[in-house]
Amino acid sequence: MYSQATLGAARIGLPRRPRATNAVESGKALVERTLIAFMFCSLVVMVMVLFDATLIHWFVVPVVLSGAIIGSDAVAFLQDRVEVMDPIALIGTLGLHFFFLAPLLHVLWDSWTPYVIGPPEWRDWLGWMAILNLLGLLLYRSVFLLGREKYSAPSKYIWRLDHQRAMLVFGTLLVVSGLVQIWVYAHFGGISGFVAAYMDGEAHYGDKDPGIGFNGMGWIFMISESFPILSLFTLAAYLKHKGKRPPWPVIFLVLAIYFLLVMLFGGLRGSRSNTIWALFWAVGVIHFWVRKVTRSVVLVGLVFLIIFMYLYGFYKSVGAEALDAFQGADTRASLAHKTGRTLQGSILGDLARADIQALELYKMTAPPVTYRYALGRTYLGGISILIPRAIWPDRPPDKVRWTTELESGQGSYVPGLYQSSHVVGVAGEAMLNFGPIAAPFTYLALGLFIKRIQQWLRTLTADDSRWLMAPLIVMFTFIVMASDSDNDVFFLFKYATVPLAAVLLSSRREARASVRFLWKS
């Protein structure tokens, strides 16, 4: 039986206990979901084979099995067995593409990592990488299967938002953030100058970093680009205080305005992830503090994000000329030919790492092998990006050095000249440091990380102000899986610093009079 606290938590979308009442039933349900995912993956492969017979290859077997394991969580999400904002729902849904669809689509579309000499037969190396992923996903699954699930008691302390203080803090930070953004635009000569500064760096790609005109401004962007989420915090706090629950048309209008703010405050400097994760955070705040978001809304949102990534890819290459993409299919085709930005590239390059990780495996194991492992130095370089070069000019290089040398040979990395821009993901970075044997264990660590987040979420009561930061933590799980350590460090620093300070300054830490479990066995 669920306790009243559990039922109340479910109504506002808090992580909740699975419906299974014992380990046997839970294991049976997992087997059923895995079989459903396996049948779905097998059906997809059979349909794809009708279009391209090159998919008849042994690499499909570990790819399908990987899809079945991670896809079981996507099935649980669709069956309403996990909450919309549960991290395993995010990993399960996006992981189905990451581990299953992406390798198949690379072969179907004959789309591979550009500007590098790849293996003579990509399918073999996709297959070997899929085997490593399969081992890793088995370790990942074991985290949630071994041992009895522990359900945590609510926190002994509540972070309760002080409404008057929150309005003062949020309002002050909004003014500061807005003024800093005005200064940024003035510094570059207006919005057009800001876009030109971005395009200047993009035009010199290969000689300089993209967006080189923004070098050294990370701390400034951390403040200026927090304006949209602080605005949403302010609205959510007001609605929470008044006990209002606006209808969906109003919420969609709020999200539309929020999207425009995100584009104005940072979106124009060429970062798709800046917009995508900002929108995810907004939906999470609404889900936890305003109105529970349904699965259909989430699925529609995923479609919107894919379309956005495709269209925004044009902006990354041609700037304001990207608006021509709305003139029709012929214009979009012309832009795609001109820029090399295609829908396929967005789907495979932004949401998966199949080809780059297969390339890593090939370069590390196929003779002649010249690559030298980083032995943990990419992680040191990732952490060191928080220290400006003005303070530490010779700070350790991040993973860019080792991805460049992997792709182009030892000694090819020269700071300021050509360097690889590829992101290899958590398994790929482990391979850069310790070789292919390290890749599966990264998913074991990811599973332990996710389980700890789930346990923390279950300790929060419905009115805890930390729910405002919870969506950031949930989406960080996929960031960790798909990104590298320098991206992870930058993500937390860039997105969390100002909003977390706002929540801390606006909240009172109160001791609970008594401690009760959110649910009972």
Side-chain angles (χ1 to χ4, degrees), residues 11-73:
R11 281 195 295 270
I12 66 165
L14 309 189
R16 66 187 180 196
R17 179 182 181 174
R19 289 190 176 90
T21 57
N22 56 66
V24 175
E25 186 178 348
S26 178
K28 181 181 178 181
L30 175 61
V31 171
E32 291 175 351
R33 295 196 300 270
T34 304
L35 287 175
I36 293 172
F38 176 77
M39 289 187 291
F40 169 78
C41 293
S42 300
L43 178 61
V44 169
V45 169
M46 287 187 287
V47 172
M48 285 186 172
V49 166
L50 296 177
F51 293 92
D52 191 346
T54 59
L55 286 168
I56 303 177
H57 186 275
W58 70 265
F59 92 94
V60 169
V61 176
V63 166
V64 168
L65 293 177
S66 297
I69 293 174
I70 198 67
S72 63
D73 289 333

Side-chain angles (χ1 to χ4, degrees), residues 70-92:
I70 198 67
S72 63
D73 289 333
V75 174
F77 167 75
L78 294 174
Q79 290 179 337
D80 194 21
R81 298 187 65 88
V82 294
E83 285 297 328
V84 168
M85 286 291 164
D86 193 306
I88 66 169
L90 178 67
I91 296 296

Side-chain angles (χ1 to χ4, degrees), residues 188 191-205 208-214 268-270 312-322 338-339 341:
F188 288 100
I191 294 178
S192 60
F194 185 85
V195 174
Y198 165 71
M199 292 307 300
D200 176 67
E202 189 71 20
H204 288 86
Y205 187 68
K208 303 177 181 178
D209 295 330
I212 194 169
F214 303 138
L268 295 177
R269 64 183 180 88
Y312 197 74
F314 294 139
Y315 174 77
K316 287 178 69 70
S317 296
V318 296
E321 189 182 338
K338 176 181 179 179
T339 64
R341 303 278 183 177

